[in-house]
Amino acid sequence: MMDTVEAQATGPQSAADRVYEYAKAGILGRRFAPHDLLTEGDLAAAVGVSRTPVREALLRLQADGLIRLLPKRGALVLPVTPDEMADVLETRRLIETFAIRKAIGAAGPSLVYRLEDHLERMRQAARAHAARDYAEADRDFHEEIVAATGNDILTTLYRSLRDRQLRMGVVNLLDEDTGSVDPAGVARMRANIADHEAIRHAIAARSVRAGEAAVGAHLERAEQQLRRH
């Protein structure tokens, strides 16, 4: 049975927005696992709305690539596929290799401080075994560097990967059987934190060569870790 959430909206959020955010959070956080079937009735009851906004929310989730609508049955939660992982990593490599070069040339000390804040969030999440918090901080760290390029189009493109990156990051940290962070997941967190520290250090030292090497090594590690899925 799905957990019931507060029926009251905060601010101008519509009923469809509330269903969308509730279902998306459940998918990204793996409360709804791949191949789970979400029904309009269950979602409507969980959020406290009618079925009409549920249908609108499901259409948006399908456009995001998170579910597939099944006529008269509901919505099937889609797994993260190897092709999707490969496409996201390829896009990240193209954007982040360029971004690290430009960010090192253009950004000031404030970028280093902001990156350290994201790193501390990652450390805290790793200590708490909080997979989603960790993945969000990881994603924000990289987005900070891309935003430092000052290229709004590039930043918008990178942000379009946010949900996919978050979902892939959580999948990479959880045990497939228990759905919790296992010792191997903790080890991956620590290794990735070391990668991010190397990237931050390269930016602080204003070393393009070290930055490119650190980003390349980090993305290679990410690719190797995701291959196990």
Side-chain angles (χ1 to χ4, degrees):
M1 182 71 178
M2 295 185 183
D3 298 330
T4 300
V5 298
E6 291 289 339
Q8 293 182 339
T10 57
Q13 192 178 43
S14 70
D17 288 338
R18 287 156 51 206
V19 177
Y20 173 80
E21 294 297 338
Y22 171 76
K24 184 171 77 170
I27 294 169
L28 297 181
R30 291 181 69 84
R31 185 170 72 251
F32 304 141
H35 307 296
D36 277 359
L37 185 66
L38 309 180
T39 68
E40 290 183 2
D42 283 345
L43 288 172
V47 184
V49 299
S50 69
R51 293 196 180 198
T52 299
V54 172
R55 296 186 188 107
E56 179 182 334
L58 291 177
L59 286 171
R60 291 168 60 186
L61 291 166
Q62 180 169 252
D64 291 342
L66 297 177
I67 64 167
R68 183 172 71 248
L69 291 175
L70 303 177
K72 299 182 180 180
R73 294 182 58 195
L76 186 71
V77 178
L78 296 176
V80 179
T81 66
D83 285 346
E84 181 182 5
M85 290 181 182
D87 288 348
V88 169
L89 285 168
E90 185 176 56
T91 305
R92 285 189 60 188
R93 191 179 297 277
L94 289 169
I95 294 175
E96 293 182 38
T97 300
F98 168 80
I100 192 70
R101 292 196 300 266
K102 189 167 183 182
I104 287 174
S110 61
L111 174 60
V112 178
Y113 299 141
R114 293 195 299 273
L115 293 178
E116 180 57 33
D117 287 342
H118 297 311
L119 262 169
E120 184 55 31
R121 288 170 55 209
M122 292 174 69
R123 297 183 190 110
Q124 292 176 2
R127 288 193 290 269
H129 294 189
R132 180 167 181 180
D133 290 345
Y134 178 91
E136 287 178 342
D138 183 340
R139 180 195 62 195
D140 291 346
F141 179 98
H142 291 282
E143 186 177 310
E144 194 79 61
I145 296 172
V146 176
T149 66
N151 186 321
D152 291 340
I153 294 175
L154 193 70
T155 303
T156 299
L157 172 60
Y158 192 78
R159 284 175 178 162
S160 72
L161 303 176
R162 287 174 65 95
D163 288 345
R164 286 185 169 87
Q165 289 190 65
L166 178 56
R167 194 177 184 204
M168 288 167 57
V170 171
V171 166
N172 186 43
L173 297 172
L174 299 182
D175 180 87
E176 294 181 1
D177 296 324
T178 66
S180 60
V181 178
D182 59 8
V186 173
R188 286 190 289 276
M189 285 178 169
R190 291 173 179 164
N192 285 330
I193 288 172
D195 286 351
H196 288 74
E197 288 171 342
I199 294 170
R200 185 198 61 79
H201 180 75
I203 293 173
R206 303 187 71 82
S207 172
V208 173
R209 178 175 295 181
E212 289 179 329
V215 167
H218 174 57
L219 292 176
E220 180 63 30
R221 184 194 302 279
E223 184 174 356
Q224 291 174 356
Q225 290 175 348
L226 288 168
R227 282 176 187 160
R228 74 188 185 93
H229 295 282

